[in-house]
Amino acid sequence: QVQLVESGGGLVQPGGSLRLSCAASGSIFRLATMGWYRQAPGKERELVAQITSVGRTYYVDDVKGRFTISRDNAKSTVYLQMNSLKPEDTAAYYCKCTYGSEYWGQGTQVTVSS
C-alpha cells in the first residue's frame, strides 16, 4: 500500500511560481512512475507531467517550458515546479504513483488569480 501526500498549493498571481511536492510512503517509490494530474471545475482530470523510475519525463503541450517534474528517490518525493503560471492553470493537482496498481493523493488546490 502506498500513501501519497501533496503539498505546496495556494493562491498565486499570474506569472508567479509554485512548487508542489508529493511525499510517498512505502518501499516502491524508486520503482514507480510518478505523475501529476490536474482537474479544473467541470472538467476531466488530465495528465500534466510524468516521470519514470529512470527519470524519463513527459509533459502535456500546455505546460512545456513552464513546468518541471523531478523526483528525489532518497526522500520518496516527487516535485512539480510551476513557473509563469496562468489563470487557466487553476485546478486541483493530484499526484499518482503507478507500479502495478495506481495510487492517488488527496490533491492540492492551485489558484492563479490577480
Side-chain angles (χ1 to χ4, degrees), residues 9-113:
L11 173 64
V12 63
Q13 292 187 341
S17 298
L18 283 174
R19 188 176 81 153
L20 305 183
S21 299
C22 172
S25 66
S27 59
I28 67 168
F29 179 85
R30 64 181 181 85
L31 302 174
T33 291
M34 301 299 297
W36 283 99
Y37 289 70
R38 65 186 178 189
Q39 186 168 20
K43 295 188 177 181
E44 294 186 354
R45 191 173 296 187
E46 63 173 357
L47 175 64
V48 174
Q50 181 172 280
I51 185 166
T52 69
S53 60
V54 295
R56 186 171 298 136
T57 58
Y58 166 82
Y59 298 93
V60 67
D61 284 346
D62 185 44
V63 307
K64 284 181 180 177
R66 301 190 297 124
F67 291 10
T68 303
I69 189 170
S70 61
R71 64 191 297 160
D72 185 337
N73 288 340
K75 295 182 178 180
S76 296
T77 300
V78 62
Y79 304 97
L80 185 68
Q81 178 67 44
M82 305 186 295
N83 299 329
S84 302
L85 282 161
K86 306 174 182 179
E88 50 264 44
D89 294 317
T90 295
Y93 283 71
Y94 297 88
C95 174
K96 187 176 85 168
C97 174
T98 304
Y99 184 70
S101 299
E102 295 180 348
Y103 305 90
W104 290 90
Q106 82 289 350
T108 186
Q109 179 66 34
V110 172
T111 302
V112 184
S113 175

